[in-house]
Amino acid sequence: MTALLEVRQLEVVYNRVATAIQGVSLEVPEGSIVALVGTNGAGKTTTMRAISGFLPSEDAEITDGEITLRGERINGRMPHQLAKAGVILVPERDKVFSTLSVQENLAFAGREGGAITIERIHGYFPLLRERGTQLAGYLSGGEKQMLAIGMALLCRPTLLLIDEMSMGLAPIVIKDLMEKLQQISRELNLTVLLVEQNAKAALSIADHGYVMESGRVVFTGKAAELMTHPDVREFYLGGAGQAENKSYRDIKQYRRKRRWWG
Amino acid sequence: MEFVATVVILTCTYALLAAGIVILYKAGRVVNFAHGEIAIVGGYVFYSSGMMFSGGEMSPWLAVLGAIVFSVIMGAFIYATMMRRVVGEPFYVAILVTVGIAIVLKSAIIVIWRAQHLTIDVGIAPAIRLAGGATLSYMDVASVALTIAFFIALYLFFTFTRLGVQFRGTAENPLLASQRGVNVNLVLSLAWIIAVLAATLSGVLYGGRAFLSTESVTIGLAGLTAALVGGLDSLRGAVIGAFVVALAQYLTVRLIDPVLSEALPFLILLVVMSIRPWGLFGTVEELDRV
Amino acid sequence: MQKKFVFRGLAAATIAACLAGFSPAQAQDAYKIGYITDLSGPLASSYTPTWEGFELYIKALNDRGGIGGKKVDVVLDDDGLKADRAVAAAKKQTERDNVLGIFGLSLSSTQGPVYAEMRKIGVPVITTFSGILDALPPAQPFSYSTGVVFEVAGDAIGELIQNIKKGGKVVGMTIDSVGGRAALAHNKKLVLAAGGQWDEVIFPVATSDFTPFAQAANEKKPDIVVGHYGSGQNLGVIPALRRSGYTGPYVVASYGVTEDTIRAAAQRAGSGDNIFYVSRYSSAFDKNPSVAEVAAAQKKYGTSKPFSSMHVTGWALGKFAEEALKKCGWPCTRDKLDKIVQTLKVDMGGLTGGPIEMVAGDGYGPTYWRLYAWNAKSNEMEPKSGWVKREAKGYK
């Protein structure tokens, strides 16, 4: 069985000189959850952007390698083309429309017909129903993440990319979200690529894992195996990453909220 | 009474312009310096299409039709041929493009209409007689009604239609919007069409009350001031800003020195920009973008 | 109709260019003069009919066989009310087209520089409007005007409005310009001398919504309001004044204001009552043989603008030009033409109240002014006074 998404020997160069990632290969089989973990600056985000077409066009360039979706080469496609093909990204920041209400956010993407309805999203995340009329900008970090996943699901993804889902969230919230995601993936046979600094949380629900370091994949294997791998345990699951997560970015969650009517 | 009426009518003219400027800014982070020109050209088009088939007598329906067709084509054309190409460029590139559009449109007034002073004589008969002998025409009454209708329509569109919601989302985060399957080009064309439509309406109302000429494009400046005073990204601010500019202009004419009224929008702008650079209702964080 | 005019203009320009470029022999057979005015700028609506009046005269003259068998060839250039374009056109006309003199011109802003440039190379300039006082005694060399000077008009109007109401309060309105303010100052002097009161409202040049200014004027409780500005302002001010509730007399000072403008303004105002008009040249509605001659030419050759006193003004300048060239003889030179114009006296028939009469040191001469009233029923202009005479002296 060929994987839904295959990345082979990917190389991305910034500003023509700085090689951000090199020789990155990974596979995301249909219906599975794959975690791509590593510390800040390991090249995870670059990999994710290359897949979703969000590399800033002037600064970064795929110089080598290939990305295929169901065997079809997709590197260099524009984000909206990829979105049509079913590659849906939940970005790390600005993942919801903060000037729209929760309902409006969901309606924004919701299409007629299909298995995934707003009702179903409400079923997974009942809180979104309660907060329906609230502006998304006023949601907590965890609620925003729920909403973002809900929106993404309504776009009928074949491949869901989630960038730093656990960023800035409390451990209990992370645990809840991860479990929910696992449930959704199983029920909908949804393929998910998780890109996470929080390796422990991501690997806990993933089928397969890749560990990145300095722009290369350094470990790969079944998630359960990686969890018990001594080096991985020492460097990535020791909790050091957790403390680092409390960086300035968390503060951004509390920026002044914009509203449409001013 | 007369004072109130004049300020209200002037507020309407400026609010329509300011609303267009705000919508364009919100949708595409473009500050449109051609808005006055668009408004006046829209007025000219209204006049010419009304006069097209009727020897000397204006046909209001043809005029309205012509103005709407003009707005749709003009809005879509400006976006498709010019503004789409400057997306992602520094903000001043877009501003320079609008300045270019302004110059071209002003030349168009000279070439096509020979810079003629035109008045739009629809509904100019007195409708309401105020105490003291002053009168308001049907056009004056209509301008207030149409402006209110425009803002209500805008509110309904942005609140209750899917396209309106997508519009607001795109304004906030075009990248995410395109990722969620929105045709950003369609939304931005729509922004231009709405803005040109509002401007044309404003130009027509202005042509009914004052007249159209190459000089009357300066109302664009009053509209821009109103938008900036209200906060460039606030529709509510656009109305308040329009009121502030209209009131200040009127009071200057009546109480201080009429000659100052031309410089007044700039004065208000300077004062607001130095005290509240983000405008009365604008968002602070928007500031670094301009 | 407007488009046709553009094409006609283009065609004329092309033909003129061809004539200038390729057939110099033909050009030598004609008196060549230049005409520069604003045909596309903000004041085109005033200046186009004046040019058309001049053009009518020259056409009729050439059809009569010209002057002593020589045709008069007019090189027309549009300055768009821009000084640099006017100067460039004047240089082009003197250097390439080799014209004998330059006629027409628009506002003071374009006249001043052209007068100055042409003075340097000795080309007589005869303007139809005169925002500046170069032509008035003591006149600058090569500078002449057969048109309206703000100061003189203000003065004449100050006297003529006594026919409407003696004394009382007069409110003068104008745009914020040197000429406008000068006109108000002279108007005021005469009003005060006649025992009346004076107040004024001055608004910015680029104004197009006159409502607040009209309300300000009305609030001063005037017995008469006088407007010292062009067509566009009258088109805006008259309806605005009537809307503000002022129904009293309003006087249009004819700085290029056509009767058609007044008709349109009256229609917009809902009433044409109590609108007056002070003009240096006869109204197009005057019934005398001279005006009838202009009307006949207008019928014969056609114009893009409705027949107006501005056509009469241009026609008068054409008459003046013919006399000057006739006296200059063949071949005529710039110096000779200037000498002739310096002391030229041309009978104007019924075009205005008396002859145009230049004397040494006075390039303007005595002028005649008349008060008209708009007849709202017949949509016609009716004389309300005889011609009053103004000497050119004493304004500098």
Side-chain angles (χ1 to χ4, degrees):
Chain A
M1 178 188 113
T2 51
L4 176 74
L5 176 79
E6 276 188 59
V7 176
R8 271 191 296 273
Q9 297 295 326
L10 191 66
E11 182 179 87
V12 174
V13 176
Y14 278 98
N15 299 321
R16 294 168 189 275
V17 286
T19 307
I21 57 171
Q22 207 171 22
V24 171
S25 296
L26 49 90
E27 290 186 2
V28 185
E30 183 117 39
S32 70
I33 299 179
V34 171
L36 180 61
V37 301
T39 53
N40 229 339
K44 306 184 306 284
T45 301
T46 302
T47 309
M48 155 114 6
R49 284 190 179 162
I51 296 169
S52 60
F54 270 91
L55 283 178
S57 52
E58 327 80 80
D59 311 336
E61 213 185 341
I62 298 177
T63 47
D64 198 11
E66 194 177 35
I67 307 166
T68 59
L69 185 73
R70 289 205 169 113
E72 196 181 330
R73 189 183 157 103
I74 58 166
N75 30 338
R77 288 211 196 155
M78 298 297 288
H80 65 266
Q81 293 170 323
L82 287 166
K84 266 205 186 109
V87 179
I88 304 295
L89 170 75
V90 177
E92 178 191 342
R93 282 188 278 155
D94 298 330
K95 57 190 110 202
V96 296
F97 297 109
S98 53
T99 57
L100 305 189
S101 74
V102 171
Q103 273 167 358
E104 286 170 338
N105 265 285
L106 290 175
F108 194 93
R111 290 174 202 178
E112 308 305 318
I116 309 167
T117 59
I118 292 182
E119 272 314 298
R120 187 133 187 197
I121 302 297
H122 280 156
Y124 289 127
F125 305 110
L127 216 80
L128 295 182
R129 193 201 304 272
E130 276 170 45
R131 301 277 155 91
T133 54
Q134 219 169 62
L135 282 188
Y138 288 106
L139 296 179
S140 71
E143 291 161 352
K144 266 188 197 158
Q145 195 65 60
M146 289 175 202
L147 179 57
I149 293 171
M151 276 173 80
L153 290 177
L154 285 165
C155 290
R156 296 193 216 152
T158 41
L159 171 68
L160 185 63
L161 303 170
I162 307 181
D163 195 7
E164 305 290 5
M165 186 169 86
S166 65
M167 180 67 76
L169 302 180
I172 177 95
V173 179
I174 297 173
K175 188 164 171 284
D176 265 10
L177 271 174
M178 288 293 175
E179 284 170 10
K180 219 28 131 330
L181 189 61
Q182 197 172 26
Q183 182 201 345
I184 293 168
S185 166
R186 282 201 192 118
E187 287 181 18
L188 302 174
N189 190 31
L190 179 68
T191 317
V192 182
L193 175 61
L194 275 176
V195 171
E196 271 292 338
Q197 267 188 57
N198 187 340
K200 199 170 165 184
L203 289 175
S204 70
I205 62 158
D207 303 306
H208 206 86
Y210 292 84
V211 180
M212 282 189 82
E213 176 82 64
S214 308
R216 291 162 195 277
V217 174
V218 289
F219 296 107
T220 173
K222 287 210 169 358
E225 286 166 16
L226 283 178
M227 292 279 269
T228 56
H229 193 289
D231 288 355
V232 176
R233 280 184 72 97
E234 184 181 344
F235 292 110
Y236 299 101
L237 304 175
Q242 289 285 337
E244 219 176 290
N245 274 350
K246 289 276 165 220
S247 65
Y248 75 98
R249 273 188 214 157
D250 309 343
I251 301 163
K252 287 269 168 175
Q253 301 282 352
Y254 304 102
R255 285 183 305 176
R256 187 181 179 278
K257 306 301 184 295
R258 304 212 312 266
R259 317 170 87 156
W260 173 258
W261 290 100
Chain B
M1 234 356 247
E2 189 186 342
F3 154 78
V4 177
T6 305
V7 172
V8 166
I9 291 161
L10 209 55
T11 301
C12 289
T13 311
Y14 294 163
L16 286 171
L17 288 168
I21 290 169
V22 166
I23 286 171
L24 289 178
Y25 179 78
K26 287 178 87 88
R29 300 286 177 268
V30 177
V31 181
N32 184 16
F33 277 78
H35 223 62
E37 281 78 2
I38 292 174
I40 298 305
V41 169
Y44 273 104
V45 170
F46 180 89
Y47 177 89
S48 292
S49 25
M51 291 298 198
M52 199 175 282
F53 299 113
S54 49
E57 197 61 30
M58 177 174 268
S59 149
W61 301 116
L62 268 182
V64 169
L65 186 72
I68 290 174
V69 169
F70 161 81
S71 301
V72 172
I73 292 176
M74 187 74 175
F77 177 81
I78 290 178
Y79 177 71
T81 59
M82 287 169 275
M83 303 318 293
R84 193 161 63 99
R85 292 168 201 279
V86 299
V87 168
E89 301 284 340
F91 73 91
Y92 57 80
V93 176
I95 289 181
L96 285 179
V97 171
T98 67
V99 171
I101 295 173
I103 294 168
V104 170
L105 287 179
K106 205 167 168 181
S107 311
I109 298 176
I110 293 169
V111 173
I112 302 174
W113 290 279
R114 303 198 48 77
Q116 235 181 121
H117 288 100
L118 281 188
T119 55
I120 293 170
D121 295 347
V122 176
I124 48 169
I128 299 173
R129 202 161 286 279
L130 303 172
T135 55
L136 294 178
S137 67
Y138 286 101
M139 190 75 157
D140 292 334
V141 179
S143 71
V144 178
L146 284 172
T147 306
I148 294 172
F150 173 79
F151 275 92
I152 290 176
L154 216 53
Y155 173 78
L156 295 177
F157 170 70
F158 282 131
T159 313
F160 297 111
T161 70
R162 193 174 141 85
L163 192 57
V165 170
Q166 288 186 339
F167 192 111
R168 284 157 57 203
T170 308
E172 183 197 324
N173 188 344
L175 219 55
L176 185 62
S178 74
Q179 246 274 323
R180 295 293 173 265
V182 169
N183 187 341
V184 174
N185 282 333
L186 177 78
V187 167
L188 291 180
S189 310
L190 189 69
W192 274 95
I193 290 171
I194 296 176
V196 174
L197 204 60
T200 299
L201 178 56
S202 164
V204 170
L205 298 179
Y206 197 74
R209 187 165 181 79
F211 59 80
L212 305 170
S213 73
T214 42
E215 297 109 89
S216 36
V217 297
T218 48
I219 59 168
L221 228 49
L224 191 60
T225 307
L228 286 167
V229 167
L232 249 186
D233 62 338
S234 166
L235 275 171
R236 183 174 45 171
V239 180
I240 309 284
F243 176 69
V244 169
V245 174
L247 182 68
Q249 236 171 18
Y250 189 87
L251 291 180
T252 317
V253 171
R254 303 299 296 274
L255 303 178
I256 308 170
D257 186 349
V259 174
L260 270 182
S261 69
E262 194 178 15
L264 195 78
F266 297 103
L267 273 176
I268 300 173
L269 197 57
L270 282 177
V271 172
V272 172
M273 288 294 120
S274 53
I275 302 172
R276 274 180 77 93
W278 54 92
L280 297 176
F281 295 90
T283 316
V284 183
E285 76 175 307
E286 286 296 328
L287 198 62
D288 56 339
R289 301 202 207 229
V290 177
Chain C
M1 169 134 150
Q2 287 150 22
K3 261 215 177 115
K4 231 194 258 164
F5 186 76
V6 177
F7 288 136
R8 200 152 22 104
L10 279 174
T14 318
I15 292 164
C18 290
L19 288 176
F22 301 114
S23 47
Q26 203 180 341
Q28 278 176 2
D29 282 347
Y31 290 96
K32 203 163 201 183
I33 55 175
Y35 196 101
I36 303 170
T37 197
D38 174 19
L39 297 174
S40 66
L43 294 179
S45 56
S46 296
Y47 292 111
T48 306
T50 313
W51 151 248
E52 285 177 350
F54 186 79
E55 192 190 23
L56 286 178
Y57 190 89
I58 302 296
K59 272 181 183 163
L61 171 65
N62 285 336
D63 279 3
R64 287 200 304 267
I67 302 166
K70 311 279 183 197
K71 302 244 168 191
V72 176
D73 187 5
V74 187
V75 181
L76 171 67
D77 277 290
D78 172 18
D79 66 19
L81 208 63
K82 298 225 163 66
D84 53 339
R85 275 178 66 183
V87 170
K91 282 189 170 157
K92 187 214 89 182
Q93 292 188 348
T94 48
E95 286 162 17
R96 232 175 50 215
D97 303 325
N98 210 17
V99 299
L100 292 165
I102 289 175
F103 293 78
L105 290 169
S106 44
L107 272 189
S108 49
S109 54
T110 60
Q111 270 170 31
V114 171
Y115 269 146
E117 280 301 315
M118 295 299 105
R119 207 171 287 145
K120 282 187 214 156
I121 52 173
V123 176
V125 177
I126 300 122
T127 65
T128 43
F129 288 87
S130 193
I132 56 171
L133 298 171
D134 284 18
L136 268 67
Q140 299 271 9
F142 300 104
S143 308
Y144 309 92
S145 175
T146 64
V148 171
V149 170
F150 286 111
E151 284 81 348
V152 186
D155 211 281
I157 289 167
E159 180 181 332
L160 282 168
I161 56 174
Q162 303 303 320
N163 291 314
I164 302 171
K165 187 178 175 151
K166 285 220 187 312
K169 187 174 190 182
V170 179
V171 170
M173 296 178 78
T174 194
I175 49 177
D176 186 16
S177 66
V178 178
R181 284 179 185 272
L184 282 195
H186 281 272
N187 195 341
K188 177 181 179 179
K189 210 163 74 188
L190 270 279
V191 167
L192 295 182
Q197 291 167 278
W198 175 264
D199 209 333
E200 56 197 35
V201 175
I202 300 174
F203 46 82
V205 175
T207 304
S208 45
D209 183 358
F210 298 93
T211 315
F213 306 100
Q215 288 174 4
N218 182 34
E219 213 146 82
K220 296 182 192 297
K221 305 257 175 287
D223 293 303
I224 299 175
V225 177
V226 186
H228 289 274
Y229 30 62
S231 285
Q233 287 81 14
N234 278 295
L235 200 53
V237 169
I238 294 172
L241 264 179
R242 295 309 186 217
R243 274 203 308 264
S244 80
Y246 175 73
T247 53
Y250 174 80
V251 183
V252 176
S254 176
Y255 304 105
V257 185
T258 62
E259 289 89 335
D260 195 50
T261 303
I262 294 174
R263 186 194 50 73
Q267 192 188 356
R268 254 169 99 62
S271 156
D273 295 335
N274 256 336
I275 299 176
F276 297 85
Y277 180 72
V278 172
S279 179
R280 173 179 171 177
Y281 288 98
S282 291
S283 160
F285 293 103
D286 274 19
K287 297 185 178 43
N288 68 54
S290 305
V291 175
E293 201 186 341
V294 190
Q298 196 257 349
K299 249 200 194 102
K300 183 173 173 194
Y301 300 104
T303 52
S304 77
K305 305 276 180 187
F307 186 42
S308 73
S309 71
M310 292 308 111
H311 291 97
V312 177
T313 305
W315 181 275
L317 180 65
K319 207 174 169 81
F320 186 82
E322 185 198 356
E323 275 305 305
L325 292 171
K326 200 190 272 169
K327 287 229 164 74
C328 193
W330 186 265
C332 181
T333 66
R334 288 168 184 171
D335 268 350
K336 212 163 141 197
L337 181 66
D338 184 62
K339 283 244 162 52
I340 301 291
V341 173
Q342 272 180 30
T343 54
L344 189 63
K345 178 176 176 179
V346 182
D347 182 49
M348 284 290 136
L351 299 176
T352 178
I356 292 177
E357 192 176 2
M358 312 281 183
V359 292
D362 178 1
Y364 192 60
T367 48
Y368 304 86
W369 306 77
R370 190 182 216 179
L371 178 74
Y372 289 88
W374 182 251
N375 184 330
K377 284 201 188 67
S378 60
N379 273 335
E380 279 179 18
M381 205 62 98
E382 290 169 351
K384 281 287 159 193
S385 78
W387 294 95
V388 299
K389 186 177 178 183
R390 279 286 171 280
E391 293 294 343
K393 283 190 257 333
Y395 289 98
K396 262 191 186 164

